[in-house]
Amino acid sequence: MSIVFALLIMTGSDFAQATSTDSRIVQTGPSHTTSQTTKEWKQKELPYDYAAMKEDVVIQLNDAPQLRSPRRTVVGPAPQEYTIFFKEAVNRGTVEEAIRKNAQEETKKEDLGFVEPIFTFHWVHDRQLQLLATIPELAKDRSWTEYVVSVAGAKKVKGTVFDDTNDFSAVVFAPSQIWRVSVDGKVKEKMTDFAVRTPMQFIDPEERYVLLERFTEYCECDARFPMLYSIYDTQTKDLTAYPVELTDNYSGAGDFMADRRGFFFAHPPKGTEVPKSEFAIRVKVDGYVHGASFSHDRKHVLMAVGKTEQKKDLDLIVYDLETGKERRLPGVIKGWVPTDEMNGQVQPVSFMDGGRYATFEMRTEEDSFEELRQRYDWQSGKVISWNPPVPKEAWSGYIQSTDGAYQMYWNAGVFKGDVKLMEMKPEAVWIPGTHHLVYIDWEKAEQGAESVSSLFLFDADRKQQSVLVKGLPASVSILGASNDGKWLYVTTPDAFAP
């Protein structure tokens, strides 16, 4: 069932009064109450180059100005601020009426989950409208909802009517937060207060810095859209946005930045300013980088380098970030560069460094998914073959205990050397300094009861497993574990029970 709210109808005289003063703030929408903060909401004029406008209207999300109509994207459940820019002066009353009407019309569509927000209007002048959209609380049986901001049907002062080609659709999800859970499962503490749901990952061994990727578009599909990137510091609570793509596995031109907190980005073009960082080091090598990863201690960068169109037998470069010196081993990365099994796109060569060896894989043939597995030996400085207990047609990625005694291969299971101890667990991390693997799995329930998701611990030495936390929210994912082995980090949009 779609959720439909009553519309607060304004008469023609009401519209005339509302448009008589530039700074007038008008609230319209569902007839439930709003907070005093919303009533007093008001924004200053945003500078804008109206003369350069190609579209008749641009609807901009203020907390991420890069997100402009036409667009369908993810936002948080908190009130969202928009600025609407018009190429020509408009009839204000018709704009407000159109925004309300279009949002309400969407709620009439069967089972699509649209809601009508409370809209608060602040007219700066006839070509700039600031809009606050406040939605009702998400229903408990829904994980998301949606609304539209559209001026279709509104009129310009000259009488021209706006069409629906520049709508802004906001898909509302509760944001995921990071929680830390003590390894005995007794203490649970919320660490973040993110405003919007984003994929996230720790990027440093100390698990201090988090890479956040915000979707610029949303669809129920496998399409790959550009992302917005930021870095969150869990100690200072600072969130730093970057105007460039960030990655923990770089590919691209041989002129790039390595930030020792754990990420890379292409050297920004002239005119693009990135946040200053004492950890960022410029790397320049001759050739195209087909994949770059940090060494375990982040003192070096390992790179697969060749010509731009080269797909086979690449050079290995071990780059010292402190001295700027490189060691190049020509042609030692044997085989063909990997491609994605789903879409056939070329993938960066990735190096997994455990301190003694840095493993990587190529393909035996250009059109084959069979892996050619190798590793760089830090002691000898040579590339040698590597034979993990994983089928050759499957990805050989793994995580391992701090001392390298145990590995969990994502496509094989938990091993000690070549001896298998347990099947693979999809949500798993090793607790640093131990042989304990923590993972999320379904716990068998008593007859007649539903199974629940729980946090398990597997002691690899004793080959024993135990339950740490029962009854987790279905949305929980594991991010990592603290370096001192005392805390586990998980992410979920839901609250943990005390």
Side-chain angles (χ1 to χ4, degrees):
M1 293 289 292
S2 60
I3 305 173
V4 183
F5 294 92
L7 179 66
L8 182 59
I9 304 289
M10 296 183 72
T11 66
S13 60
D14 292 325
F15 281 124
Q17 183 180 8
T19 58
S20 63
T21 308
D22 278 0
S23 61
R24 175 83 177 190
I25 299 176
V26 181
Q27 286 181 296
T28 61
S31 57
H32 46 276
T33 59
T34 57
S35 67
Q36 187 65 26
T37 301
T38 301
K39 291 179 181 179
E40 296 173 352
W41 175 80
K42 189 175 180 179
Q43 297 292 301
K44 295 180 180 179
E45 179 176 5
L46 294 183
Y48 198 75
D49 186 1
Y50 296 93
M53 289 184 68
K54 296 180 179 179
E55 306 292 343
D56 286 340
V57 60
V58 171
I59 303 170
Q60 172 182 291
L61 183 64
N62 286 0
D63 77 337
Q66 307 95 318
L67 302 183
R68 297 178 173 182
S69 60
R71 189 172 302 275
R72 184 177 184 232
T73 193
V74 173
V75 301
Q80 300 294 312
E81 298 177 0
Y82 300 87
T83 301
I84 305 179
F85 305 99
F86 299 97
K87 190 174 183 179
E88 300 177 17
V90 295
N91 182 312
R92 301 186 189 183
T94 65
V95 170
E96 294 178 14
E97 182 181 22
I99 290 173
R100 293 195 314 275
K101 179 181 178 181
N102 292 325
Q104 188 188 41
E105 286 297 316
E106 293 297 323
T107 69
K108 297 177 182 179
K109 295 180 179 179
E110 202 60 36
D111 297 325
L112 293 183
F114 282 87
V115 296
E116 181 194 354
I118 294 174
F119 288 119
T120 304
F121 299 92
H122 170 61
W123 285 96
V124 179
H125 47 68
D126 287 345
R127 297 175 70 182
Q128 184 173 131
L129 168 62
Q130 290 160 357
L131 180 72
L132 183 69
T134 305
I135 66 165
E137 186 175 351
L138 286 173
K140 292 183 179 180
D141 61 341
R142 290 198 65 87
S143 61
W144 66 279
T145 190
E146 186 169 359
Y147 64 89
V148 66
V149 178
S150 171
V151 300
K155 294 181 179 180
K156 304 174 187 177
V157 169
K158 295 180 180 179
T160 310
V161 178
F162 287 94
D163 60 26
D164 62 356
T165 57
N166 282 289
D167 295 352
F168 194 110
S169 293
V171 184
V172 182
F173 283 94
S176 291
Q177 308 297 344
I178 300 174
W179 293 70
R180 69 175 190 170
V181 182
S182 58
V183 292
D184 60 8
K186 295 180 179 179
V187 181
K188 309 174 189 69
E189 297 176 352
K190 185 182 176 186
M191 297 179 62
T192 61
D193 192 24
F194 296 134
V196 64
R197 182 177 294 192
T198 61
M200 62 185 81
Q201 63 171 325
F202 279 114
I203 51 176
D204 61 311
E206 293 79 19
E207 310 229 322
R208 171 178 174 176
Y209 299 104
V210 184
L211 171 61
L212 304 176
E213 301 177 337
R214 180 173 183 173
F215 294 102
T216 58
E217 298 278 357
Y218 176 82
C219 75
E220 295 82 8
C221 62
D222 294 328
R224 299 168 67 92
F225 295 109
M227 309 284 271
L228 302 180
Y229 299 86
S230 56
I231 299 294
Y232 181 75
D233 186 332
T234 59
Q235 290 188 14
T236 65
K237 310 298 182 183
D238 291 330
L239 181 67
T240 306
Y242 278 75
V244 293
E245 179 182 357
L246 307 183
T247 179
D248 63 350
N249 185 16
Y250 173 80
S251 64
D255 184 2
F256 62 98
M257 302 298 294
D259 191 302
R260 291 177 63 169
R261 286 173 291 179
F263 61 93
F264 303 97
F265 55 93
H267 189 264
K270 187 176 181 180
T272 300
E273 293 188 9
V274 298
K276 293 182 179 180
S277 169
E278 61 180 300
F279 305 104
I281 299 171
R282 187 173 183 178
V283 177
K284 297 183 74 173
V285 295
D286 185 19
Y288 183 87
V289 179
H290 291 270
S293 305
F294 283 101
S295 63
H296 182 71
D297 59 10
R298 285 168 294 163
K299 292 182 179 179
H300 296 84
V301 175
L302 297 119
M303 290 176 260
V305 180
K307 296 179 180 179
T308 303
E309 301 301 323
Q310 187 175 341
K311 294 184 178 182
K312 183 183 179 184
D313 298 345
L314 304 171
D315 297 349
L316 171 65
I317 291 182
V318 181
Y319 189 94
D320 189 318
L321 290 171
E322 294 183 356
T323 65
K325 294 181 179 179
E326 66 175 66
R327 179 169 182 257
R328 185 182 291 249
L329 284 71
V332 298
I333 300 180
K334 300 295 184 182
W336 294 81
V337 293
T339 55
D340 189 293
E341 296 182 21
M342 297 294 292
N343 54 33
Q345 292 184 344
V346 173
Q347 299 295 297
V349 179
S350 178
F351 299 87
M352 170 65 185
D353 184 27
R356 171 65 194 280
Y357 300 105
T359 63
F360 56 95
E361 65 278 341
M362 298 283 275
R363 298 286 170 79
T364 56
E365 301 291 340
E366 184 175 12
D367 298 325
S368 171
F369 293 118
E370 183 176 314
E371 288 190 344
L372 181 60
R373 295 149 179 176
Q374 303 159 86
R375 59 186 179 183
Y376 175 71
D377 187 332
W378 285 99
Q379 291 185 3
S380 68
K382 297 180 179 180
V383 170
I384 57 178
S385 63
W386 173 53
N387 298 296
V390 182
K392 290 188 179 297
E393 294 78 16
W395 177 52
S396 54
Y398 66 96
I399 55 174
Q400 67 178 6
S401 58
T402 307
D403 60 4
Y406 296 91
Q407 292 78 33
M408 193 200 77
Y409 298 93
W410 299 112
N411 284 307
V414 181
F415 281 77
K416 183 177 184 180
D418 293 329
V419 179
K420 187 172 183 177
L421 307 180
M422 187 174 64
E423 293 298 327
M424 178 273 297
K425 300 300 179 182
E427 294 269 356
V429 297
W430 291 98
I431 297 177
T434 74
H435 293 159
H436 295 164
L437 182 75
V438 177
Y439 58 93
I440 295 174
D441 205 351
W442 291 100
E443 186 178 357
K444 293 182 179 179
E446 296 180 3
Q447 188 173 3
E450 292 185 2
S451 297
V452 295
S453 180
S454 297
L455 195 62
F456 289 83
L457 182 145
F458 176 70
D459 185 325
D461 292 331
R462 299 180 179 180
K463 302 179 181 61
Q464 295 177 348
Q465 71 176 20
S466 57
V467 178
L468 293 180
V469 183
K470 291 186 176 182
L472 298 176
S475 57
V476 167
S477 294
I478 294 182
L479 280 185
S482 64
N483 236 14
D484 59 11
K486 295 180 179 180
W487 297 96
L488 304 171
Y489 299 114
V490 300
T491 176
T492 176
D494 302 305
F496 266 120

